[in-house]
Amino acid sequence: MEYLTRLLAYTTDNKDFRFHALYKSMRLTHLMFADDLLLFCKGDAHSMMTIMRTFSMFSNTLGLNMSKGKSNAYFNGVNNVLRQDILQVSGIVEGRLPFRYLGIPIKITRLTTNDCRPLIDKVVSKTRSLGCKETILCWKVSVG
């Protein structure tokens, strides 16, 4: 997966690629956990095709392919013509926001403390079950 991270970093230097507006300052293109991968980019044809070509290069090199039956594309503010083109070219079905990932809702608006409560409760419960007498958590949650 390090190879994919390096490919995506290289992709961000491509003049056709534009970051998703919320993640531009962080230069965030992806998140990975186990065998899950979330890819982020601006909802325009050039950015989508650039990131798809990058993932295709990764797949062709390592033989790790996307499970299209388990994959979804999520859109916000993308016109219907482009949306349909992306879905047709990628072969991925459209998912609906919000969705849950690792117990946290993925949505357009900022997460609230209540959105994160199930994860916080699981961490506290796990640390207590391991015999920790005190649980110290430090969370910075932006509530907007």
Side-chain angles (χ1 to χ4, degrees):
M1 296 314 263
E2 178 63 26
Y3 177 60
L4 178 60
T5 298
R6 283 187 276 131
L7 282 177
L8 289 168
Y10 177 75
T11 295
T12 62
D13 293 333
N14 185 317
K15 64 178 175 52
D16 289 333
F17 180 82
R18 291 172 42 197
F19 287 94
H20 185 285
L22 292 176
Y23 310 122
K24 185 176 182 176
S25 65
M26 294 183 284
R27 299 183 54 84
L28 180 68
T29 55
H30 65 291
L31 294 173
M32 290 184 281
F33 181 76
D35 62 348
D36 288 334
L37 172 67
L38 299 174
L39 295 167
F40 305 98
C41 70
K42 175 93 173 152
D44 62 61
H46 293 297
S47 296
M48 295 295 289
M49 292 306 294
T50 301
I51 209 161
M52 287 175 63
R53 277 192 307 271
T54 301
F55 190 76
S56 179
M57 183 187 311
F58 168 77
S59 294
N60 291 336
T61 303
L62 296 181
L64 296 173
N65 295 306
M66 174 187 341
S67 176
K68 291 186 180 183
K70 295 180 181 179
S71 300
N72 295 101
Y74 299 91
F75 301 94
N76 182 48
V78 176
N79 72 56
N80 286 335
V81 173
L82 177 58
R83 181 184 305 218
Q84 291 307 315
D85 288 346
I86 291 166
L87 293 171
Q88 185 175 11
V89 169
S90 68
I92 300 172
V93 298
E94 183 174 0
R96 299 279 179 227
L97 291 171
F99 67 95
R100 295 187 85 71
Y101 183 69
L102 302 177
I104 301 295
I106 304 298
K107 57 186 189 174
I108 298 165
T109 58
R110 290 179 186 258
L111 292 176
T112 65
T113 303
N114 286 338
D115 291 330
C116 297
R117 180 60 52 203
L119 178 60
I120 294 168
D121 292 344
K122 284 180 186 178
V123 170
V124 169
S125 174
K126 185 65 173 175
T127 56
R128 287 188 179 145
S129 72
L130 293 173
C132 298
K133 295 184 179 178
E134 291 185 38
T135 302
I136 300 171
L137 292 175
C138 178
W139 291 81
K140 182 181 183 295
V141 178
S142 298
V143 180

